[in-house]
Amino acid sequence: MMPEPQESKPVPTDHHGHVHLCNGGVSVVFALESNRLPAVVYWGGELPAATAGEVVATAAPAVLNSSFDQPRSVSIAPTTFQGWSGTPALVCHRGGVPASRVVLVAVESDRTSAVFTLRDHALGLGIRLEYRIDPAGVLTALARITNLAPAGEPVDVGAVRILLPVPARAAELLDFTGRWSGERRPQRSPLTDGTRLRASRRGRPGHDAAFVTVIGTRHFGFRDGEIWAVHVAWSGNSEQLVERLPEGAGSLTALIGGAELLEPGELRLAPGEEYTGPPVLFAWSDGGLDGISRRFHQHARARPNHPSSPRPLVLNTWEAVYFDHDFGRLTDLAKRAAAIGVERFVLDDGWFRGRRSDAAGLGDWTVDTEVWPRGLAELADLVHGLGMQFGLWVEPEMVNLDSDLARDHPEWILGLDDAMPLSWRHQFVLDIAQPDAWSYLYRSIDEIVSRYQVDFLKWDHNRDVHGAVDRASGALRGRAQTLAASELMDALTRTHPGLEIEACASGGGRADLGILAHAHRVWTSDTNDPIERQWIQRWTGLLLPPEVVGAHVGPAQAHTTHRESSLSLRLATALFAHAGIEWDLTACSDGERATLTAWAALYRQLRPLLHGGVTVHADDLDDGAVLEGVVSEDGRHALFAWMRIGTSATAHTPRVRFPGLRCDVDYALRTRTEIGPASRHQVADPAWFPAPGMSAAVSGGLLTGAGVPLPQLNPGQVLLLELLAGAEPPA
């Protein structure tokens, strides 16, 4: 909820009137014009108060040929009735009569927040648009729509979009697509006239989610360029869009924004009812993509649900045992995990009644006594006794037909009354918006959490929500399903304050700041292949800070791709996130377990830096090289991973610049060898580079300016480079 602003101002009639929001080095300026709705005339770097007024005074563009007889103004709620020919922000009607006579009736504002109250008096519709800019410079906007009519027909709400204009120098577009085990694939193109609309109708964002939509100046990179970005913090059906018309958007050029996606007939407001849309987050940076991620990370870390305790090292049993829940084997696995330094042991799929494969059991949330004749207490007590947290896998929103729940309550399965929807992984969607179904799930999971003192739930969601209609009434349930799942998570964490939840959706199909208002981390992808993970985690980190991004070390041969990779690359990839292990430790060699133990200690040592610092990426590298890291807020401590993913066309590595460091600080650089050695594609390292166990004194000016030559590694190899301030200045 956005705090109510303290200061209330009358609606200005002077065309020079404006509202100027400013925080975190970012300004947003709204022009308040007589007889027109407010319009955003500036969004970018911080402006002095006087300059904000000048921007408003010079905002009106020329009057065009073959156009309106006055300057165009694209308001905060543009529709065709205000002269906007693009995608409308507001689509509402009562009995077929659309919202058309929207006027401004009140403005409330202070330095960091503004609320604009609009009315369509003829339709009996109230619209409240709220904006707040936080210390991270992230602008959060949301809309509230109220049916103010005391009686009569309901109001049908089709869309409530939040849109902001951007200037002409925003010339390139970046968003994302993907698939199962290949999430967050970037798509980049020039910004052209027309509408770029990315809509998800999957009941979850999906593996192909737009995720974050970015537009920026030409050739923007991680460290360079001016960028405007949007993210819809909603974990159901949603849309993000960028739109440019030949006549522009008022004094600016294009619009960027988003909304919850509402299907026709899905949202009808009875008299007195209100709809609140999801938060839409906007971020600006003149420091490239890393500048955008820094703002989003600061915003996420300030949210009340963001985890504040150290992120425990996890072991998940899935790729170790799958459905083979043998108590002796799991006992051995737990003991080996504790010896390595694991802090959270998670029993994955297969513990509940009838669950010997993915074809049965979903919905029956009681322990399978054939596999666990004494329940889970013996394993839970062992795990807790070893000093680890105990976690379980659940998938509450789904059901198998081969389950007692489906046999007892077929009316709880979403779908048409005379036909079942298409199955997906042998499962169907449970209508958890039905109060009885929701209560059943709450009671069942609450009992399991209470009885076994469960510390953590891996909450999966393994199919898209298609055909989401109530079986009895035929009413659409997509939005209700998302709200019910969120409330179920909230109810369980209210009852069990120490309980943490991971949002998993066939991997990374539900990774967004909407679900992270209710959960504490996301499972980034079902692939643990470190080559795939490098790109998936890199782009997931554009929005989400590393401490909420789950990443596990798997066996040498990846479960999903069957590619083999070095242990050091697997360890380094997981290190730069919320780290864990998904590997049968009983099959590891003594040497592998020793390396895992050293890596676990390194993770615990560097956790404050990794989960509290600034994520950075180097530009200007060949396609096969990666230099990325985390730098402390004061710039005095950093950890970088220098990786070679593919071969290089050059015989040696040229000078590489380290991003994010301070040019006025001298650093001691050393290689952290806990993850094991890295093989080189050379006879010897550059002369300046420190030998293992040694450090080199290097100035920040050199590292950030000219850069330094780094060892030429073989593909699949990685070096961890730690930098600490306070070194003696180099000779």
Side-chain angles (χ1 to χ4, degrees):
M1 293 286 293
M2 188 175 299
E4 292 292 334
Q6 299 301 307
E7 181 183 358
S8 180
K9 299 178 180 179
V11 181
T13 56
D14 185 344
H15 73 278
H16 291 300
H18 67 275
V19 170
H20 178 198
L21 305 186
C22 185
N23 208 355
V26 176
S27 284
V28 180
V29 180
F30 300 83
L32 304 176
E33 302 179 71
S34 177
N35 300 319
R36 288 190 176 187
L37 296 182
V40 174
V41 294
Y42 179 85
W43 167 34
E46 182 175 348
L47 294 176
T51 304
E54 291 175 334
V55 168
V56 174
T58 58
V63 177
L64 302 177
N65 293 322
S66 187
S67 185
F68 297 110
D69 296 329
Q70 57 273 336
R72 288 176 178 268
S73 175
V74 179
S75 77
I76 55 175
T79 67
T80 58
F81 299 101
Q82 288 92 45
W84 174 240
S85 301
T87 302
L90 183 65
V91 180
C92 298
H93 71 89
R94 187 194 299 275
V97 178
S100 57
R101 300 177 183 178
V102 179
V103 296
L104 178 68
V105 298
V107 178
E108 305 165 78
S109 69
D110 58 23
R111 181 172 173 79
T112 61
S113 63
V115 177
F116 301 99
T117 302
L118 316 178
R119 291 281 189 275
D120 186 323
H121 294 289
L123 202 67
L125 190 68
I127 305 146
R128 182 180 167 97
L129 298 177
E130 305 178 4
Y131 301 83
R132 182 174 65 85
I133 190 166
D134 66 14
V138 173
L139 180 73
T140 299
L142 59 83
R144 304 181 195 276
I145 307 296
T146 307
N147 183 353
L148 298 174
E153 290 187 76
V155 169
D156 287 272
V157 181
V160 186
R161 302 180 177 97
I162 304 288
L163 303 169
L164 286 188
V166 296
R169 58 187 181 276
E172 290 188 13
L173 185 149
L174 169 71
D175 63 11
F176 298 88
T177 184
R179 54 170 172 76
W180 174 75
S181 75
E183 297 87 342
R184 254 75 70 203
R185 299 297 175 104
Q187 303 181 124
R188 188 159 175 164
S189 62
L191 179 60
T192 56
D193 286 352
T195 304
R196 169 74 167 181
L197 175 65
R198 296 294 309 282
S200 171
R201 290 180 170 85
R202 301 179 181 276
R204 57 182 184 176
H207 299 92
D208 64 337
F211 190 54
V212 179
T213 298
V214 171
I215 50 178
T217 51
R218 287 181 176 83
H219 312 302
F220 67 83
F222 279 103
R223 305 300 299 175
D224 299 305
E226 190 177 10
I227 291 174
W228 298 260
V230 67
H231 170 73
V232 178
W234 175 249
S235 213
N237 292 340
S238 65
E239 62 179 34
Q240 296 181 27
L241 65 92
V242 174
E243 187 163 57
R244 193 177 79 180
L245 301 183
E247 63 266 32
S251 60
L252 299 168
T253 299
L255 294 179
I256 184 172
E260 178 184 0
L261 190 155
L262 297 168
E263 297 287 1
E266 184 175 11
L267 184 60
R268 310 193 80 191
L269 298 180
E273 284 189 333
E274 180 182 88
Y275 163 73
T276 300
V280 181
L281 276 54
F282 296 89
W284 168 88
S285 166
D286 59 358
L289 292 165
D290 279 355
I292 289 291
S293 66
R294 182 170 187 171
R295 293 193 185 279
F296 277 137
H297 291 186
Q298 288 176 338
H299 170 85
R301 286 168 174 163
R303 286 160 37 122
N305 201 55
H306 193 76
S308 57
S309 59
R311 301 294 76 215
L313 185 66
V314 177
L315 183 133
N316 185 282
T317 65
W318 178 244
E319 291 192 19
V321 302
Y322 298 103
F323 289 107
D324 183 14
H325 283 197
D326 176 77
F327 178 69
R329 186 178 179 189
L330 287 166
T331 296
D332 192 8
L333 187 62
K335 290 178 178 178
R336 291 178 186 269
I340 282 171
V342 167
E343 299 161 305
R344 174 181 285 167
F345 184 92
V346 181
L347 182 65
D348 209 286
D349 196 355
W351 58 269
F352 48 95
R353 190 167 68 245
R355 190 65 166 178
R356 304 277 53 81
S357 73
D358 63 5
L362 272 182
D364 295 343
W365 299 110
T366 57
V367 177
D368 192 329
T369 54
E370 291 186 10
V371 179
W372 297 94
R374 293 186 293 276
L376 291 176
E378 201 168 2
L379 179 64
D381 290 347
L382 171 71
V383 168
H384 285 135
L386 290 169
M388 297 184 291
Q389 297 178 5
F390 180 61
L392 283 178
W393 180 94
V394 293
E395 193 173 1
E397 297 156 79
M398 304 295 162
V399 62
N400 291 130
L401 292 186
D402 187 2
S403 68
D404 290 341
L405 181 66
R407 287 184 283 269
D408 293 342
H409 293 285
E411 75 278 9
W412 288 359
I413 302 174
L414 283 174
L416 301 172
D417 60 354
D418 58 349
M420 289 296 293
L422 296 172
S423 64
W424 181 315
R425 201 175 180 255
H426 314 292
Q427 65 190 51
F428 300 85
V429 184
L430 198 65
D431 187 359
I432 65 172
Q434 288 198 39
D436 289 345
W438 190 97
S439 296
Y440 161 77
L441 290 173
Y442 174 78
R443 290 193 308 270
S444 300
I445 299 172
D446 171 59
E447 182 179 352
I448 290 291
V449 172
S450 299
R451 177 175 297 182
Y452 301 114
Q453 299 179 29
V454 174
D455 304 289
F456 174 82
L457 292 175
K458 179 179 179 179
W459 190 297
D460 217 335
H461 184 285
N462 271 309
R463 64 160 291 164
D464 289 350
V465 183
H466 289 301
V469 295
D470 176 72
R471 191 166 289 277
S473 67
L476 289 164
R477 293 296 230 187
R479 180 169 189 271
Q481 189 79 4
T482 302
L483 292 172
S486 300
E487 175 53 28
L488 184 57
M489 293 181 185
D490 290 347
L492 288 165
T493 53
R494 284 194 300 267
T495 305
H496 306 279
L499 179 69
E500 292 193 0
I501 294 174
E502 174 183 63
C504 176
S506 318
R510 190 153 69 171
D512 59 90
L513 286 174
I515 200 64
L516 282 170
H518 314 283
H520 304 86
R521 84 168 198 166
V522 299
W523 182 229
T524 323
S525 178
D526 275 348
T527 185
N528 287 320
D529 181 331
I531 302 295
E532 300 295 316
R533 273 282 183 154
Q534 276 299 314
W535 310 118
I536 294 169
Q537 290 174 204
R538 165 178 284 199
W539 293 110
T540 300
L542 180 62
L543 176 69
L544 304 182
E547 63 268 23
V548 297
V549 175
H552 293 175
V553 178
Q557 185 178 90
H559 169 79
T560 53
T561 64
H562 298 279
R563 175 165 40 201
E564 293 197 3
S565 56
S566 69
L567 178 56
S568 61
L569 182 60
R570 282 143 48 212
L571 293 170
T573 301
L575 183 68
F576 285 87
H578 182 180
I581 301 168
E582 198 151 341
W583 188 3
D584 184 1
L585 299 179
T586 66
C588 293
S589 67
D590 291 343
E592 288 170 329
R593 281 193 290 269
T595 303
L596 281 168
T597 302
W599 166 80
L602 179 68
Y603 172 73
R604 292 192 299 273
Q605 177 195 346
L606 295 177
R607 190 159 43 191
L609 169 66
L610 294 169
H611 296 167
V614 179
T615 300
V616 296
H617 303 82
D619 286 316
D620 303 323
L621 301 173
D622 69 79
D623 290 341
V626 174
L627 179 69
E628 58 190 17
V630 179
V631 182
S632 63
E633 285 284 354
D634 64 5
R636 299 180 64 81
H637 188 198
L639 184 74
F640 285 87
W642 169 241
M643 288 176 268
R644 180 145 294 283
I645 305 302
T647 57
S648 170
T650 59
H652 63 85
T653 301
R655 288 184 180 270
V656 175
R657 293 185 293 178
F658 282 65
L661 298 177
R662 288 172 50 175
C663 61
D664 62 339
V665 168
D666 294 314
Y667 293 93
L669 181 149
R670 63 169 173 161
T671 302
R672 297 303 299 255
T673 58
E674 288 88 344
I675 63 171
S679 66
R680 270 69 158 173
H681 195 68
Q682 59 189 30
V683 175
D685 288 342
W688 78 271
F689 194 78
M694 304 296 290
S695 64
V698 192
S699 73
L702 174 64
L703 292 168
T704 60
V708 290
L710 293 175
Q712 179 72 294
L713 303 178
N714 283 318
Q717 300 296 305
V718 58
L719 288 171
L720 288 181
L721 305 176
E722 184 180 22
L723 295 103
L724 285 167
E728 289 296 323

